[in-house]
Structure formats: C-alpha cells, structure tokens
C-alpha cells in the first residue's frame, strides 16, 4: 500500500489548526489549486459527513467519509470510488508556541497488481494535493490568529443542556445555537460569557471546567483551567470558542430575550436539532458532556 506523508510546523495553537482543518472553504481552495472540486454537506466537518472530490479519475475521483474530527486532527476513509482503499489522516500536536501537523495519505489501487501501474501518477497527484493543503492551512491559520473571538456557553443543569433558537436573520431563523456573543477588547472569554448571558437570557452563570478537564491546557491564563470543549470554530473572519458553564445558585430562570425560544435538552436530543453549522461542529462533545 503506497503511503505519502508530509509534516510541517504551523504558527498557530493546535485547537485553531484543528478547527481550520474542519473548515470546508480552505479545503475547497486547496483542491482547486490541485485541479479538483470539493462537494461538502456543511461549512465545518463532523464525523460521519461524506465529502466528494470530483476530478478526472484516479486518486481524486472519490467520495470519503469523515471518521474523526477533533482537537487532535481530522481523519477520513474511502466511501466510494475507483480505489480499493483510501485513507487520509492529519494529526495535530503542540510544538513550541505553534503546532506540528502531519499528513498521511494511503491507498490501494484497483485491479490488484495490474492496477499498481497507476501508483506513480497517484503519488504525484497526492503530493500536489497535500502541498496545496499545507499552504492553504498556513494561510488561513495566519488570518485567524488575531481574529475577533465569539464565545458560546454550554450551560448544563441536571444532565440537560440549554439551547437557543434563532429568531433572526431570516436565513438563520429557526435554527439552534448555544447562547453567547462577542468578546469585547480587554475582556476575558469567561467575562464575556457572563455578560452575554445576562443580556440574552437574564440569567447569571459561572464558567467552570468540564468534568475530567486537563488544567494544563487552559484557555484563560488568568485562572489556569480548561473550560473549553472542541476545536476553535472558524466563522468567516471570526473564531467561535465553546466553554462549559452552569447557572449560579439563585439565578433567575433563563428567558428568551433575543431568541425565538429556549429548551433544556438531554444527550439523546442534541443530535436531532437543526443546529447552526458552527454549533453542529461540537455536537459530539456536547453529547459526551451530558452523559452520566
């Protein structure tokens, strides 16, 4: 089985790099540079999504299924196409102030031994694709490193999650999201969430570490704790980050001041909601958060 690998340093934290790997816009740009076209179901990929790469035969005429999308990278496997097998794994690890990114592409040609005559061609196309992807990844991460941050609150009470249904704009009305908003200059992410929840919900929250959190990878260096779930989530020229939280004892019950409605949902209900694309990208982490 031929294997191609490419390894490089990217000047950005692992959660941002892993988030950009899930973003289909940069992936489409990279494929276009390699002479292919991408068809995808959403702007941010999650496990189970199928991606179609359309080109003239060979390595690029395939449909792949995402089998993992998380803080440590992105992996996919062949779902349909002329190759017998195809796998693509991108691993992201912390390296100094940035990230080490390792791409590995492996395949098995069709028709057994006679099909292996196509391996040199596939190898050239695969190398071109990995190099284009590497360049686009670095460009997008550089663009987002200093981007404005939007924060969302995963507020859990008695094993249920608070979700909010959008009322505007028209193209997003009726879809679901986590409450939150933009971080103002000089404001910590935790402070922004506390303020936003008072404004949006009339409720008081505290941002706190999720169960089993690793205090060594905190996102708020002032308190040194990890309150984050999932990757950074690129949304245009901004980055969304999701933090775990709970209502403060004695807080008023949350009210839909800016949303169409609010609901408390259990783990079995989370996947069935019509989420905004960015919030959909943390559904797996939200379900894990709600499991006993």
């Amino acid at each position: 089985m031929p294997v191609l690998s490419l390894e490089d340093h990217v000047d950005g934290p692992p959660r941002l790099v892993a988030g950009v790997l899930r973003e289909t816009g940069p992936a489409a740009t990279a494929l276009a540079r390699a002479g292919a076209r991408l068809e995808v179901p959403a702007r941010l990929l999650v496990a189970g999504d199928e991606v179609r790469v359309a080109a003239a035969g060979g390595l690029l005429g395939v449909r792949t299924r995402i089998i993992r999308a998380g803080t440590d990278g992105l992996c996919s496997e062949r779902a349909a196409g002329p190759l017998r097998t195809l796998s693509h794994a991108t691993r992201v690890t912390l390296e100094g102030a940035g990230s080490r990114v390792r791409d590995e592409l492996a395949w098995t040609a069709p028709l057994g031994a006679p099909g292996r005559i196509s391996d040199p061609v596939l190898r050239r196309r695969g190398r071109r694709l990995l190099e284009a992807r590497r360049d686009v990844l670095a460009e997008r991460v550089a663009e987002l490193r200093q981007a404005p941050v939007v924060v969302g609150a995963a507020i859990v009470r008695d094993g249920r999650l608070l979700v909010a249904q959008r009322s505007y704009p028209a193209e997003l009305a009726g879809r679901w999201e986590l409450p939150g908003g933009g971080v103002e200059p000089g404001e910590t992410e935790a402070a922004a969430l506390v303020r936003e929840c008072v404004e949006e919900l009339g409720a008081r929250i505290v941002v706190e570490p999720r169960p089993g959190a690793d205090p060594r990878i905190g996102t708020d260096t002032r308190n040194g704790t990890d309150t984050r779930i999932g990757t950074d989530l690129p949304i245009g020229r901004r980055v969304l980050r999701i933090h775990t939280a709970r209502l403060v004892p004695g807080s008023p019950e949350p009210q839909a001041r800016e949303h169409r409605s609010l609901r408390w949902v259990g783990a079995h209900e989370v996947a069935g909601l019509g989420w905004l694309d960015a919030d959909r990208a943390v559904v797996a982490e939200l379900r894990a958060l709600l499991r006993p």
Side-chain angles (χ1 to χ4, degrees), residues 17-288:
V17 174
V20 172
L21 286 172
R22 306 173 68 178
E23 195 178 17
T24 54
T29 299
L31 282 165
R33 292 183 185 180
R37 186 178 73 255
L38 182 68
E39 298 175 8
V40 294
R43 292 187 300 110
L44 290 166
L45 296 171
V46 302
D49 282 346
E50 289 197 358
V51 173
R52 184 171 182 269
V53 181
L59 176 64
L60 299 179
V62 298
R63 190 170 77 247
T64 64
R65 181 177 297 110
I66 305 300
I67 59 173
R68 181 173 176 80
T71 55
D72 60 351
L74 187 73
C75 302
S76 64
E77 291 183 347
R78 173 193 176 276
L83 298 175
R84 290 177 59 191
T85 66
L86 174 66
S87 64
H88 183 198
T90 307
R91 305 292 184 185
V92 182
T93 55
L94 181 66
E95 183 178 69
S99 303
R100 172 61 50 176
V101 179
R102 178 178 176 81
D103 259 323
E104 188 169 282
L105 187 66
W107 69 90
T108 304
L111 306 177
R116 288 200 290 272
I117 195 172
S118 65
D119 282 343
V121 174
L122 299 179
R123 186 177 293 275
R124 287 195 298 272
R125 290 182 176 178
R127 174 66 63 178
R128 183 181 176 191
L129 172 59
L130 293 185
E131 291 174 349
R133 190 166 182 267
R134 174 199 60 195
D135 294 343
V136 170
L137 175 66
E139 292 165 8
R140 180 61 167 157
V141 169
E143 178 186 3
L144 292 176
R145 281 183 63 189
Q146 303 301 321
V149 174
V150 178
V151 284
I155 304 171
V156 176
R157 180 176 69 185
D158 299 328
R160 301 181 75 80
L161 174 75
L162 183 67
V163 296
Q165 189 177 38
R166 290 292 295 258
S167 58
Y168 64 90
E171 63 271 19
L172 300 180
R175 298 179 71 180
W176 294 87
E177 66 178 357
L178 299 174
V183 178
E184 296 180 353
E187 191 175 40
T188 67
E189 294 179 22
L193 274 177
V194 170
R195 173 183 52 77
E196 286 286 348
C197 286
V198 169
E199 294 171 0
E200 287 187 9
L201 309 173
R204 299 194 305 274
I205 69 160
V206 60
V207 176
E208 65 177 10
R210 68 188 189 277
D214 185 346
R216 296 170 299 175
I217 55 173
T219 58
D220 184 342
T221 55
R222 300 188 190 187
N223 61 30
T225 57
D226 179 23
T227 63
R228 291 280 308 282
I229 61 170
T231 65
D232 283 5
L233 303 167
I235 46 175
R237 298 183 181 275
R238 301 182 295 169
V239 171
L240 172 64
R241 295 174 180 159
I242 306 299
H243 294 260
T244 51
R246 61 176 174 84
L247 294 177
V248 172
S251 167
E253 188 67 14
Q255 299 177 11
R257 292 182 171 182
E258 299 181 10
H259 292 89
R260 180 179 295 178
S261 65
L262 302 176
R263 286 175 57 188
W264 291 96
V265 297
H268 65 288
E269 301 171 274
V270 171
L273 295 175
W275 292 97
L276 298 179
D277 279 1
D279 297 79
R280 170 182 177 267
V282 290
V283 163
E285 289 84 355
L286 292 172
R287 293 181 68 185

Side-chain angles (χ1 to χ4, degrees), residues 6-18:
L6 188 67
E7 193 167 348
D8 205 356
H9 178 87
V10 177
D11 290 327
R15 269 179 162 145
L16 175 59
V17 174

